[in-house]
């Protein structure tokens, strides 16, 4: 089956503001995010791509714009099932203030039991995203052959949930996965099992630099809900 090239959207204005954007409209790429998106066509230049699939949210569509401009024949498809998690009443709130919410401990330690007030559960988020990928795999294979590759631009928690599924990890372990803005994660699907062949590849090593306390991860090493802003 095809190879899925997962791209997290470039750094957004919400990332730099420390806000959990969720599905809030009007969240765009910031200056660094636009530069990350502009570099994406070069990073993917060696890959023949059959299609581009995007979350409907603005920051994902902006991330793919330079790639689509560089490849005028590449078709773009919008897929609602890979949209950001519906964080409900948490959407638009500062991540720093959400740390003290009792639900945050569940999100970090037992996400399969977490459901956001007024939003969706993390299990539902993973389920819809996995269903979408499986259906797109079948479609791409039918139209372009089993060796085809396609790019899908989505969000941090969605990508982490897809990686957990590919590795056979329980959702409660998905917070051990990390994907920086505009990082590339590649999963090669076969008839018997998926293979994770790239994880969070940003094309440089800046994301490996030590982080200051409180930057993205909390003092206890908690995962950043929504994915974080990446390297400074």
């Amino acid at each position: 089956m095809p190879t899925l090239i997962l791209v997290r959207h470039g750094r957004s204005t919400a990332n730099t503001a420390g806000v959990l954007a969720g599905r809030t409209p009007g969240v765009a790429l910031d200056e660094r995010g636009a530069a990350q998106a502009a570099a994406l066509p070069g990073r993917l230049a060696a890959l023949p791509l059959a299609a581009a699939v995007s979350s409907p949210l603005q920051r994902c569509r902006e991330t793919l714009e330079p790639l689509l401009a560089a490849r005028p024949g590449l078709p773009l498809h919008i897929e609602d099932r890979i949209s950001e998690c519906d964080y409900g009443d948490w959407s638009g709130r500062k991540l720093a203030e959400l740390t003290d919410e009792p639900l945050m401990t569940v999100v970090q330690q037992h996400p399969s039991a977490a459901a956001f007030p007024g939003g969706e559960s993390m299990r539902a988020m993973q389920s819809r995203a996995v269903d979408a990928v499986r259906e797109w795999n079948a479609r791409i294979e039918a139209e372009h052959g089993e060796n085809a590759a396609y790019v899908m631009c989505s969000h941090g928690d969605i990508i982490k949930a897809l990686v957990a599924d590919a590795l056979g990890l329980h959702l409660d372990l998905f917070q051990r996965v990390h994907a920086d803005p505009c990082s590339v994660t590649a999963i090669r699907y076969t008839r018997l099992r998926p293979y994770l062949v790239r994880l969070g590849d940003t094309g440089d090593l800046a994301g490996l630099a030590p982080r200051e306390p409180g930057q993205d991860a909390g003092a206890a090493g908690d995962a950043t809900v929504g994915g974080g802003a990446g390297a400074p």
Side-chain angles (χ1 to χ4, degrees), residues 94-143:
K94 288 278 191 179
L95 287 163
E97 70 182 38
L98 291 171
T99 302
D100 296 328
E101 293 278 355
L103 178 61
M104 183 60 87
T105 302
V106 182
V107 170
Q108 294 292 334
Q109 303 297 331
H110 190 22
S112 65
F116 295 97
E120 69 178 334
S121 69
M122 302 196 91
R123 284 187 298 108
M125 173 199 75
Q126 183 186 44
S127 179
R128 63 174 166 82
V130 169
D131 285 349
V133 165
R134 296 293 179 171
E135 290 179 24
W136 275 104
N137 284 347
R139 176 173 173 177
I140 295 296
E141 181 176 12
E143 296 178 0

Side-chain angles (χ1 to χ4, degrees), residues 12-15 19 21-30 56-62:
S12 72
T13 53
N15 292 146
V19 169
R23 298 179 179 179
T24 305
V27 176
L29 299 183
D30 67 6
L57 296 181
Q58 178 180 342
R59 53 196 183 272
C60 287
R61 300 181 71 160
E62 288 181 350

